[in-house]
Amino acid sequence: MEPVGTSTERMAISAPDGVTVMLDPNIRPRAIASRQDHLDRLNRIMHRADIVKTSTEDLAYLFPWSGRGRRRHSAAGQRPACVVVTDGAAPVRAFAGGKQIRADVPAAPVVDTVGAGDAFAGAFLTWWLGNGLSRSDLGDPEAVRGATQAAILASVVTCTRRGAEPPWAYELAGHDGWRWLPPGDPPG
């Protein structure tokens, strides 16, 4: 939606080379005025994106002709060094360095899924940067596996509460992948 769409596009495509850019299409069909204009914008951003985090629902909108279960990640283009595909409670698939990475999503009591995808994307980037990694490391499947597993944890925690409530750092500290976070106490 405007003016956010244009501003986001400008920021993404003009990002300096040292900046890691993640694209999460986060498709909301009812909020899209023109499907073609939206696809054109995503394509322009895709040319600068280093990471594409998408869901199977997003892919179904973006590539309606592609059957479920096919390797739709290749349709995202050759530019992104890393593509991550979430599918609810199903395993997350990531593609980096010519490898497919599969990471299981642990069972948890789901209260609400609002914000789970945003928590995943934010946690992936936080983990990536917190571990001192950059764009050039996106071809390392093991680093991508670590970021994916850490992001899954943040997303699962988000699903255990009502509303878009991602975890606090103290809730992640000490868990595999988040051991670099300093221990802390709940706010307040």
Side-chain angles (χ1 to χ4, degrees):
M1 295 169 51
E2 293 302 338
V4 174
T6 297
S7 298
T8 301
E9 177 183 354
R10 285 182 186 153
M11 184 174 57
I13 63 176
S14 64
D17 283 342
V19 172
T20 302
V21 175
M22 176 186 272
L23 170 63
D24 179 355
N26 207 9
I27 300 295
R28 299 293 181 262
R30 292 184 180 164
I32 297 172
S34 166
R35 184 176 193 280
Q36 190 58 54
D37 288 348
H38 191 71
L39 294 175
D40 290 346
R41 171 172 282 153
L42 288 175
N43 189 49
R44 290 189 298 270
I45 296 171
M46 186 86 64
H47 282 81
R48 174 53 184 90
D50 302 300
I51 307 164
V52 174
K53 180 268 170 208
T54 190
S55 68
T56 54
E57 292 87 2
D58 294 338
L59 291 174
Y61 178 87
L62 294 169
F63 309 106
W65 61 86
S66 182
R68 184 168 174 81
R70 290 187 188 175
R71 295 178 59 158
R72 289 185 280 198
H73 69 280
S74 61
Q78 300 302 313
R79 174 60 184 98
C82 176
V83 176
V84 181
V85 182
T86 62
D87 188 11
V92 174
R93 292 171 294 144
F95 306 88
K99 305 252 191 240
Q100 178 175 330
I101 299 130
R102 179 184 154 113
D104 290 327
V105 176
V110 176
V111 174
D112 193 349
T113 60
V114 172
D118 293 335
F120 184 99
F124 188 102
L125 286 174
T126 299
W127 186 94
W128 197 260
L129 298 173
N131 280 286
L133 301 171
S134 68
R135 294 174 69 191
S136 62
D137 298 305
L138 285 166
D140 179 352
E142 288 311 307
V144 170
R145 179 184 308 282
T148 299
Q149 290 171 323
I152 288 170
L153 174 61
S155 186
V156 167
V157 170
T158 302
C159 288
T160 64
R161 49 185 95 177
R162 187 155 313 285
E165 288 288 331
W168 293 86
Y170 78 87
E171 294 176 286
L172 300 175
H175 288 277
D176 286 343
W178 292 102
R179 297 195 189 285
W180 54 271
L181 282 174
D185 295 319

